[in-house]
Amino acid sequence: MSQPSQPIAAPVAAPSAVAKLLSSRSLRDSTLLLVLAAIWLFFYFATNGTFLTQRNLILLALQTAIVGLAAISAVMLIVTRNFDLSVGSAVALIGVVVALLTVKFNVDPIVAVLVCVGAGLLMGAWQGWWVTRMKVSSFIVTLAGMLYFRGISMIATNGATVAPLPAGLKQIATGFLPPDLSIVLILVAFGLFAAFNVFELRRGLALGIVANFKGDLIRALLPSLAAAIAAIWLASSKGVPYLIVLVAVCAIAADILMRRTRFGVQLYAIGGNPEAARLSGINVDRMIFINFVIAGLGYAITGVALTARVSGAIAGSAGLFLELDAIAAAIIGGTSLSGGRGRVFGALVGALLMGSLNNGMSLMNVPTFYQDTARGIVLLLAVAIDQLSRRRSTVVR
């Protein structure tokens, strides 16, 4: 009796060359940096060199800082398949709180900032409660938050601007570290980063994970060395702005939290497969609730920074469309809308790329509607790249 023939597996389509290229995370990161470099080079020639002057690059960094702060919490939520559409309104409400306390009630700025931190945590907890306990979609919860946070800020100020802030608060956005101290800090930061990478690669070499120590070390340090040299050149004129220091501290803290702690590993696991994460013993609801509370801390920091930058609370327009910019920066920086993948520093590069488009086109006197069109196309391409890389990963599995 003849044995039944084994079923023949359906042939798997060979991935395209583009999909192969996009499947490498390091290559995607490098591609993003190359795109940013190409944009800067284009605007350098298009603006007769104005774009790459020290003054304009510092201005670009300050313009990007607020979006960068908002993008940090956006990444943390998107990797768990949640969204926050209320960032702009929540930031505006925090700005109203700090402005009313310091301008109308003469509260000490430090106390006002602490109150804002408490208010931000409460706002994040409020939204997290609706998502985790009431099982309402984060899209709906934060969409509602976008409306009532903005409404409350308008009610509290009667639609008027509350300004000016005390000089101490304004220093957050307008102050600079001395140039010498800035250069020392940049060198120390690069030295620590290099030492950490050497330690990690040596450990990987001992475990047999790393095959090409020198090649991996060069790939890890070369972009940061270029960034350090550029930062020293910029800092040599006026120093590093306090606002950039604030962004760097928040980004490093968030990156460590997401990539070096059990909490962060669980966030990625939830985004990759929520059901599998739940079956493996992760308390998914509690983790998402905490994640929203951390997003609330992001509201507070971003709100105080934005209010200090404009020297007052402008309830009607402060933070307008900030949520869209933050989500766009995260996606362009490699955060996947499907969850489970995304890095804080990628989002910062995404924010810098979007800010560069705005800044460069403004220098060229390009009308606003053309700027929006260009940003939209960049966002569409970023999502397409994400989908192609996801498709490639599925084929490989």
Side-chain angles (χ1 to χ4, degrees), residues 188-202:
V188 169
F190 176 75
L192 290 174
F193 180 78
F196 176 76
N197 273 278
V198 170
F199 171 76
E200 287 283 288
L201 288 173
R202 280 186 174 172

Side-chain angles (χ1 to χ4, degrees), residues 32 35-36 39-40 43 51 60-61 63-65 67-68 71 321-333 346-362 371-382:
L32 188 62
V35 170
L36 181 64
I39 289 173
W40 282 23
F43 284 127
F51 182 82
L60 171 62
Q63 289 173 340
T64 307
V67 176
F321 302 128
L322 181 60
E323 55 278 344
L324 301 182
D325 288 336
I327 292 173
I331 295 170
I332 291 171
L348 293 185
V349 176
L352 188 58
L353 194 150
M354 296 286 277
S356 300
L357 289 174
N358 282 343
N359 182 282
M361 287 189 284
S362 296
Q371 297 185 28
D372 292 340
T373 303
R375 294 166 63 201
I377 291 173
V378 170
L379 179 60
L380 182 63
L381 290 175

Side-chain angles (χ1 to χ4, degrees), residues 93 96 148-160 314-317:
L93 181 54
V96 166
Y148 59 69
F149 285 154
R150 180 74 63 184
I152 293 171
S153 65
M154 294 289 287
I155 293 169
T157 61
N158 201 23
I314 309 171
S317 60

